[in-house]
Amino acid sequence: MGDSFGDRPRGRTAAEEGVIRDEAAEAIAEEHGKLGLPAAISLIVGNIVGTGVFLLPASLAAYGTISIVAMALVSIGAIALAIVFGRLGARLPTGGGPYAYAKDAFGEFSGFWNAWSFWLTAWIGNAAIAVVWVNYVNYFLNWTSPVAQIALALVALWIPALINLSGVKNIGAFALVTAVLKFIPLIFVAVVGLFFVQGGNFGPFVATGGSWIAALSTAGALALFIYSGVESVTIVAEKVRDPARNIGKSSVYGVLICAAMYMLSTVAIFGTVPHDALVNSTAPFADAINNMFGGSVGGGIMAACAIVSGIGAINGWTMLVAEMPMAAARDGLFPSVFARESRRGVPWVGIVAGTALTSLVAVYNYFGTEDGFNKILLIATFTTVIPYFFSACAQLFWLVTGARRISGARLGRDLAVTAVAILFAFWMTYGAGMEAIFIGFLMLLVGIPVYIWTKAKRGEYGPGGEVPASPHGRPGR
Amino acid sequence: MGLSAREKRTLDGIADRLYTEDPLLAESLSSFATGAVTAEPLSPRRGPFPAVLLPVALLAAIMAIMAVLLPPISGTAEADPAPVSHTLIRG
């Protein structure tokens, strides 16, 4: 490419040089349209911090301040997972992330199962965010009829879908803006709240009345999923500038930012809201602001923050809903229609199909039963874990086989980090609970006919897959 | 790890082009694979039980212990799946 910007080499015509210049310009424009490090970090932060964080301190308070220790343990596991994703992303900077890693290490079927699992968790999980988002919007609107709430839920889902359809640059910009906007009040509570902490508010170390081990384990299980989305940038690796470098950096920085925010805000809220009030709180961040400054303005501020946070998270997850199947479809391991890209370079079929499916689940919440809706959401819980576990195991596989590129102390360090990530993913599996594992596993089995269908359509096996005779009569086979 | 038919077809296409463009080079390269292939050989760089596999065995043991001990310790997984309230599927 260098010669396209220098003196014209001898023998090259002006027309040829023009073509080369155009190609160089396209390459630069393409790079320019990709996600840089800040946008990649925003994508991770935006996907990790959705709407669940706004209730988390109240849920954890029921177990006592030991839940802060549990959160610290979970954070260590998530950081290990982020480091592993960074290593894998540097080794294999291709789209699909966990799908690509599992396929590379364990073969096509494992890759497919990860893609299928992630695809399920991505679009089902978006329905959960949308439903909670509607509740926060109704703090201001108070639209209580099911039809009005469905309309709001569809707004929450299709505005991010339209942003996704408009191109990667807009997705990144929206992720950056919403991440900053959502973090300002959260960080405010986390940092300023520390100055208002009163020791008497913290409550007992173990509030359950049982053993500290049980409380630690249960509180940990409750917090295990707060880092879901740590894999986000690996999935869109092809849309990240300098992926071998930026995937690792953004994954680790993104998780560290979230860990700092989670830990500080939990400590601040535990210390500013009396324990008994916090356990029963439906808006712990708002209660913390009100306790710090008096009045009742906190509710409105935090509802607005949750609205921005929720729609930002849906924007990022909508991108993943389409990117993961696109990577698998390119390899012939997902229906080929998912590989179609629009003129703006986005997998429009995956975006539209994923958002349509999410819309159906969201509509079901308002016209079906709440129990049925929660059952559907359980699928997303277990299927979240599968890509984490396989990815961490893929890293272990590469470390203990001849494909590794490191040895000695670095090998020992990477083995230790990978082992922590695997145990963390294993703990997450346990934390999903029996019912989630049961329903989730059934949905994994549903994927097998899909795998057979894609293989058969591709003419992989049988007479249609026989290697044709060489047209040139090539010998030696 | 066996190649899929699609991958074989792709390799065949590459080989055909090579034969067309440079037969001598193609003949030279094909001489490396004239014998019968019975199995994909693994790298012989390490002994029968490399030390690096010890952490793997240890990890498997820890996972087995966790699988047995976690449910009786916390009980969450056997009772109502508390951690999966829909607001906490994602942070």
Side-chain angles (χ1 to χ4, degrees), chain B residues 31-86:
Chain B
S31 68
F32 286 105
T34 49
V37 178
T38 54
E40 186 176 282
L42 292 172
S43 170
R45 276 179 288 174
R46 286 180 296 278
F49 189 81
V52 76
L53 288 183
L54 282 173
V56 180
L58 184 64
L59 188 66
I62 293 172
M63 286 167 69
I65 292 166
M66 279 176 73
V68 173
L69 288 187
L70 272 176
I73 286 175
S74 78
T76 314
E78 290 180 345
D80 181 59
V84 295
S85 97
H86 65 264

Side-chain angles (χ1 to χ4, degrees), chain A residues 48 50 52-53 121-122 126 213 217-218 221 331 374 377-378 381 389 402 426 430-432 434 460 465 467 470 474 477, chain B residues 4-6 12 15-16 19-20 45-46 52 56 59 62-63 66 70 73-74 76-77 83-84 86-91:
Chain A
I48 287 178
V53 62
T121 202
N126 272 357
I213 295 179
S217 176
T218 313
D331 294 338
N374 285 335
L377 297 186
L378 285 177
T381 311
F389 191 75
F426 195 65
Y430 162 77
M434 271 189 178
E460 183 89 7
V467 178
S470 168
R474 175 159 52 91
R477 282 191 296 165
Chain B
S4 70
R6 188 186 188 200
D12 278 338
D16 287 342
Y19 260 97
T20 310
R45 276 179 288 174
R46 286 180 296 278
V52 76
V56 180
L59 188 66
I62 293 172
M63 286 167 69
M66 279 176 73
L70 272 176
I73 286 175
S74 78
T76 314
V84 295
H86 65 264
T87 54
L88 288 175
I89 280 182
R90 290 170 192 164

Side-chain angles (χ1 to χ4, degrees), chain A residues 383-402:
Chain A
T383 48
T384 296
V385 182
I386 299 292
Y388 295 162
F389 191 75
F390 272 82
S391 296
C393 287
Q395 172 70 351
L396 180 68
F397 179 83
W398 292 120
L399 286 176
V400 301
T401 58

Side-chain angles (χ1 to χ4, degrees), chain A residues 309-334:
Chain A
S309 181
I311 206 159
I314 294 173
N315 171 61
W317 280 98
T318 301
M319 187 183 191
L320 307 188
V321 165
E323 289 287 335
M324 173 69 91
M326 182 176 73
R330 280 178 177 167
D331 294 338
L333 289 176
F334 232 72

